[in-house]
Amino acid sequence: MATAKSFSTPILFISFLLAGSCLSSANETKIKANVTIVNGLAYGFYRYICPQVEVLVRSYLRQVFSRDVGQAAGLLRLHAHDCFVQGCDGSVLLDKSIERTELPNLSLRPESFQIMETLRQIVHSQCGPVVSCSDILTLAARDSVFYTGGPDYAVPLGRRDGVTFPRPNQTFEDLVAPFAKTTEIITKFARKGMNAIDAVALSGAHTIGIAHCSSFSERLFPNRDPTMEISFFNILRQVCPAPNFNAATSLDIRSPFRFDNLYFVDLMNRQGVFTSDQDLFEDLRTRGVVISFAANQLLFFQSFAVAMTKMGSVEVLTGAQGEIRSRCNMRNSDNINDLVSVVEKDHMGSSFAMR
């Protein structure tokens, strides 16, 4: 059973993983999801004003993941938490937002925010401030999947960064808690325009990442959750010997560092960590999807690309809405020294993009 300490995996293994990912996708075309694209978003949006943006993001992340492949899960989770609360507007990146201090987001990795700001600096230094932090985060999430062995899918771009904060408790209302049952999961996804297949596919992101004891202790104490396989229960009790124990374990015991379909095999063996994971197999409405994804990795990859594209379009700001932040962690109005130059360059870039 892998724990948080497992992320010190030898660089040799990680390098092999990344090289294998690159080679496996080198001769494949990116998956382009067959979904309706929100007005204002487009494939190749930065073709004229920052054509190298995807290369810049992918190149830097390759360096990051060669040092610590665990950061891929952190960026993927950051993107999901951003999109489900007030849409994909980069609001989760704002230091002053209540979104950052509410319980569901307290476990977001500090390194993810640092990586995002470094990516923004790299992109803006090459192109000027014409690419939004929300678009950079969308690309970072896609590359986190790609570099851990998952599908390489095209993402429509053109999002603008938000200038408003979510209302108090909105994270609790919108995000799926680890103890949620399938009915709640389906309901919350439906609010965002996604269906049960999307919910199962996006849950498959748990094929990478870790979970802390506090997020699944109710399945261990005072007694074993009957939907948890007994040997798996015994392993988790060793990781978390007491209800308030501060430790972590991998969400996918079979391939914790690789984005694949074995997470769904875990569920079929009743070895899902979260209630929200395991209940997808227990609930007859989603069990068939879990079984299909466990049997067919390509189907999972295709469905995941569709679901990510749909999630990445939730309540986005485009056109003249929002802004292009000069720093990902603050609105331009809170960073007045850079505001004038950002507005001028952003206007020039937008005008050029309309030609």
Side-chain angles (χ1 to χ4, degrees), residues 45 79 131 153 157 168 197 201 214:
F45 181 86
H79 177 53
V131 182
Y153 55 93
L157 301 171
I197 296 176
S214 59

Side-chain angles (χ1 to χ4, degrees), residues 212-243:
H212 292 86
C213 295
S214 59
S215 60
F216 58 89
S217 61
E218 84 285 350
R219 302 192 68 204
L220 306 180
F221 304 98
N223 300 303
R224 175 178 66 92
D225 181 336
T227 65
M228 181 180 289
E229 190 266 329
I230 184 65
S231 64
F232 185 59
F233 166 78
N234 290 332
I235 292 172
L236 291 185
R237 278 294 296 264
Q238 293 177 12
V239 176
C240 309

Side-chain angles (χ1 to χ4, degrees), residues 248-323:
T249 186
S250 297
L251 284 165
D252 178 359
I253 63 170
R254 285 174 168 77
S255 56
F257 306 109
R258 187 164 183 85
F259 194 101
D260 55 26
N261 66 333
L262 295 186
Y263 158 85
F264 299 103
V265 176
D266 295 337
L267 303 189
M268 291 180 64
N269 284 277
R270 292 190 163 85
Q271 295 171 336
V273 177
F274 295 151
T275 297
S276 60
D277 292 323
Q278 190 58 52
D279 202 57
L280 294 174
F281 181 72
E282 305 306 318
D283 194 300
L284 295 181
R285 291 171 294 178
T286 48
R287 175 178 289 186
V289 183
V290 170
I291 294 173
S292 295
F293 288 167
N296 189 333
Q297 180 166 275
L298 178 59
L299 176 63
F300 165 49
F301 282 1
Q302 292 171 335
S303 300
F304 184 82
V306 168
M308 285 292 284
T309 304
K310 290 166 73 172
M311 184 185 74
S313 302
V314 169
E315 301 169 23
V316 294
L317 304 175
T318 61
Q321 300 172 314
E323 64 184 12

Side-chain angles (χ1 to χ4, degrees), residues 82-297:
D82 181 44
C83 290
F84 264 81
V85 181
Q86 198 173 264
C88 306
D89 65 346
S91 59
V92 74
L93 303 174
L94 295 170
D95 287 341
K96 294 183 179 180
S97 176
I98 192 173
E99 189 173 356
R100 288 279 294 276
T101 60
E102 291 189 330
L103 181 61
N105 283 335
L106 290 180
S107 59
L108 291 173
R109 301 187 186 205
E111 298 90 344
S112 298
F113 298 100
Q114 296 168 6
I115 292 168
M116 277 299 304
E117 180 55 22
T118 300
L119 282 171
R120 183 208 58 79
Q121 292 173 10
I122 292 170
V123 172
H124 285 190
S125 69
Q126 295 296 312
C127 301
V130 297
V131 182
S132 67
C133 292
S134 48
D135 269 350
I136 293 172
L137 180 54
T138 302
L139 290 171
R142 188 273 308 276
D143 290 346
S144 296
V145 172
F146 169 72
Y147 271 135
T148 49
D152 193 12
Y153 55 93
V155 291
L157 301 171
R159 296 163 192 78
R160 305 269 291 185
D161 296 320
V163 295
T164 61
F165 299 142
R167 65 182 181 278
N169 295 320
Q170 191 171 349
T171 58
F172 293 96
E173 296 172 18
D174 291 340
L175 294 175
V176 173
F179 48 79
K181 290 296 188 76
T182 300
T183 295
E184 179 182 345
I185 296 171
I186 291 175
T187 298
K188 289 190 173 182
F189 270 74
R191 291 176 191 162
K192 305 300 179 181
M194 291 181 280
N195 57 36
I197 296 176
D198 300 323
V200 178
L202 288 183
S203 296
H206 287 173
T207 185
I208 57 176
I210 59 175
H212 292 86
C213 295
S214 59
S215 60
F216 58 89
S217 61
E218 84 285 350
R219 302 192 68 204
L220 306 180
F221 304 98
N223 300 303
R224 175 178 66 92
D225 181 336
T227 65
M228 181 180 289
E229 190 266 329
I230 184 65
S231 64
F232 185 59
F233 166 78
N234 290 332
I235 292 172
L236 291 185
R237 278 294 296 264
Q238 293 177 12
V239 176
C240 309
N244 297 320
F245 202 75
N246 185 22
T249 186
S250 297
L251 284 165
D252 178 359
I253 63 170
R254 285 174 168 77
S255 56
F257 306 109
R258 187 164 183 85
F259 194 101
D260 55 26
N261 66 333
L262 295 186
Y263 158 85
F264 299 103
V265 176
D266 295 337
L267 303 189
M268 291 180 64
N269 284 277
R270 292 190 163 85
Q271 295 171 336
V273 177
F274 295 151
T275 297
S276 60
D277 292 323
Q278 190 58 52
D279 202 57
L280 294 174
F281 181 72
E282 305 306 318
D283 194 300
L284 295 181
R285 291 171 294 178
T286 48
R287 175 178 289 186
V289 183
V290 170
I291 294 173
S292 295
F293 288 167
N296 189 333
Q297 180 166 275

